[in-house]
Amino acid sequence: MAKILVVDDEEVLRQTLKRLLDSKDMAVSVSASAKEALVMLEKEKFDLVITDVKMPEMDGIEFLKVAKSNDPEIPIVVLTGFATIDMTKEALQNGAYNFITKPFEAENIIGIVKKGLKLKKEIVRNKEVTSFAKCTFDIEIPSRSDLLGGVMFCIIGQLKLLNFNPRIISTEILMALDEALTNAAKHGNKYDPQKKIFVHTQVDKEKIELLIKDEGEGFNPDKLVDPLSSEGMERGCGRGVFLMKNYMDEVAFNDTGNEVKMVKFNRR
């Protein structure tokens, strides 16, 4: 049985929605305030939320932002009237699934709620499928600094689709990618747009493997100066490779030093 939370400071509206949805074999809980509803969401798992946008203390927009940050997948339907059209637009821009206008029609609400519950099931099913998914893709770009961010965006996007740990994505992987791509463009290819950077990515639920290659002369990674030594701090060299090795679980260069393989495991 689907569990629905109705949030509205008007008791008549709360009880009307509860009776309507209860009659459709849904388990409906109600809350008179957004703050109370957030506490309920922390204690109990709901399949869908219906909330008014205009409420005292905390309005529906702020409630929506907090609720979605805690559970990005929960569908939230906003109740709106003519006086709250702008707030409704803001709610949709901040992740609301749909909206219901007041006064409302029973069939309209039931249709929107059922569609939202179906969406939630699809999200859950998709998460199950991603546990079996593997993604392999290649990117080839000229050595231009303005393209490096786009490469990172493409790779990070795939990691998010496969439910990689967000903390690992936003720190270790992002920083290691930035260092490796910058080294390839700046030190390897000397920002020569005629020379290419090749990026091979393989990712699944367990780990990401990255292979980044430039067309430069390469270098000997064994002869890099320790950036924490007095010489390294004075010359400011070796920092990028040092960071890559500390961010990633495995880092290895080829014999000529113009290709690096990095591996990061998806730890929770």
Side-chain angles (χ1 to χ4, degrees):
M1 182 180 292
K3 296 171 68 174
I4 312 295
L5 176 60
V6 174
V7 189
D8 200 298
D9 59 322
E10 294 182 25
E11 184 176 2
V12 173
L13 191 56
R14 290 198 305 272
Q15 296 305 322
T16 299
L17 285 170
K18 178 173 173 57
R19 285 193 298 270
L20 174 63
L21 298 174
D22 278 341
S23 69
K24 300 299 178 181
D25 295 324
M26 300 178 193
V28 182
S29 299
V30 296
S31 173
S33 73
K35 289 184 178 180
E36 180 188 44
L38 288 174
V39 174
M40 294 174 68
L41 286 170
E42 287 180 2
K43 294 180 178 179
E44 194 173 351
K45 197 73 173 176
F46 289 91
D47 298 301
L48 183 140
V49 176
I50 300 174
T51 181
D52 195 4
V53 292
K54 193 172 183 180
M55 294 182 288
E57 294 187 15
M58 177 186 284
D59 64 30
I61 306 298
E62 190 61 30
F63 166 74
L64 170 72
K65 291 178 181 178
V66 177
K68 293 292 283 186
S69 67
N70 294 335
D71 184 1
E73 297 166 0
I74 188 168
I76 297 180
V77 181
V78 294
L79 291 166
T80 181
F82 179 76
T84 55
I85 290 177
D86 289 339
M87 292 183 75
T88 303
K89 291 178 180 178
E90 187 178 355
L92 293 171
Q93 291 167 0
N94 280 279
Y97 148 68
N98 212 324
F99 67 95
I100 297 169
T101 56
K102 296 185 288 186
F104 52 78
E105 295 182 1
E107 287 303 314
N108 186 33
I109 288 181
I110 292 168
I112 288 173
V113 169
K114 285 184 175 180
K115 187 178 288 187
L117 293 172
K118 183 180 179 182
L119 173 67
K120 180 67 181 293
K121 286 182 179 179
E122 290 300 324
I123 291 172
V124 172
R125 193 174 292 121
N126 178 64
K127 290 185 72 173
E128 184 181 358
V129 170
T130 57
S131 66
F132 302 100
K134 293 182 179 180
C135 178
T136 301
F137 61 98
D138 297 292
I139 300 174
E140 179 182 317
I141 60 167
S143 298
R144 287 169 35 196
S145 60
D146 61 307
L147 297 177
L148 303 185
V151 175
M152 290 189 284
F153 177 81
C154 289
I155 295 171
I156 295 304
Q158 291 300 319
L159 288 171
K160 289 180 177 178
L161 286 175
L162 292 175
N163 297 314
F164 232 76
N165 186 330
R167 182 193 60 78
I168 294 177
I169 294 175
S170 62
T171 53
E172 288 101 321
I173 294 175
L174 187 62
M175 295 300 293
L177 259 175
D178 183 47
E179 293 294 341
L181 290 169
T182 300
N183 281 350
K186 180 179 179 180
H187 300 296
N189 290 343
K190 313 296 184 186
Y191 286 128
D192 181 351
Q194 300 303 313
K195 292 183 178 180
K196 302 289 181 63
I197 299 172
F198 307 91
V199 183
H200 175 75
T201 305
Q202 184 169 315
V203 58
D204 57 32
K205 66 174 184 176
E206 301 292 341
K207 67 181 185 298
I208 179 172
E209 296 183 12
L210 291 159
L211 197 68
I212 299 174
K213 183 177 182 179
D214 60 64
E215 295 184 310
E217 297 178 358
F219 72 107
N220 187 344
D222 296 328
K223 292 185 177 181
L224 278 177
V225 177
D226 183 350
L228 298 181
S229 67
S230 57
E231 181 185 358
M233 286 188 283
E234 183 179 343
R235 294 172 54 190
C237 56
R239 182 181 182 85
V241 174
F242 174 82
L243 289 172
M244 288 156 53
K245 288 183 175 180
N246 280 274
Y247 288 134
M248 304 297 274
D249 294 313
E250 298 174 17
V251 175
F253 288 87
N254 65 350
D255 292 338
T256 54
N258 70 331
E259 178 181 287
V260 60
K261 179 181 180 181
M262 304 189 295
V263 178
K264 187 68 178 181
F265 293 95
N266 187 20
R267 298 185 182 89
R268 293 292 172 180

